[in-house]
Amino acid sequence: PVSLLLMQRDATVTIIHSHTPDPAAVCREADIVIAAAGRAELVDAAWIKPGAVVIDVGINSVEDKDASKGYRLVGDVKFVNVKAVADKITPVPGGVGPMTIAMLLRNTLLAAARVAAKGGGGGGSAEIAAEREKEGLPPLTGLH
């Protein structure tokens, strides 16, 4: 999870959950907000410190009679309201999704290049497991 990646870089990370008292007040202290609540437009401008960076990971469909499909996609953040307060904000759709795909493709290409450079025969599961073990990484479950 991104929280662990940030902590490895010495960031102070606060996780808000459904039982956090006054989540808006806790959120207002953050310089970076990563919203992944699973609730459409939960995070409003009052939750955000002016100048913060907001990364909306959520994707929800909400009824919209004016839309051709009868619904529209929104994030966990009220984009229009929060955009007025935040320095930067990712849109939904079109924000983190394309970046996720790009990074998955990049990592796949890098892994294939590493296997090819080592003279690997196509990166079978035994080769991947051996490479992970050599790098001190835990085994992947489900490899046969």
Side-chain angles (χ1 to χ4, degrees):
V2 72
S3 60
L4 297 177
L5 294 172
L6 290 168
M7 285 189 295
Q8 286 177 343
R9 298 291 185 159
D10 298 325
T12 299
V13 175
T14 303
I15 298 175
I16 298 172
H17 54 78
S18 62
H19 296 289
T20 299
D22 198 359
V26 175
C27 197
R28 269 192 303 277
E29 297 295 318
D31 296 316
I32 301 170
V33 174
I34 302 172
R39 288 194 45 207
E41 300 182 321
L42 172 69
V43 179
D44 202 354
W47 289 44
I48 304 300
K49 178 198 301 188
V53 173
V54 179
I55 301 170
D56 192 347
V57 182
I59 188 157
N60 310 278
S61 61
V62 294
E63 189 174 322
D64 184 347
K65 294 177 181 152
D66 296 330
S68 62
K69 295 180 180 179
Y71 68 91
R72 61 188 167 85
L73 296 177
V74 298
D76 292 348
V77 175
K78 289 184 181 174
F79 183 82
V80 173
N81 298 4
V82 172
K83 184 177 180 183
V85 177
D87 184 43
K88 304 280 187 221
I89 183 171
T90 59
V92 173
V96 298
M99 180 55 68
T100 301
I101 293 167
M103 294 308 296
L104 284 170
L105 290 172
R106 177 184 179 273
N107 289 340
T108 301
L109 289 171
L110 289 173
R114 276 197 315 268
V115 170
K118 292 179 180 180
S125 59
E127 293 173 30
I128 293 170
E131 184 174 330
R132 289 185 64 81
E133 184 177 358
K134 188 171 21 171
E135 293 179 14
L137 298 171
L140 296 173
T141 59
L143 288 180
H144 303 288

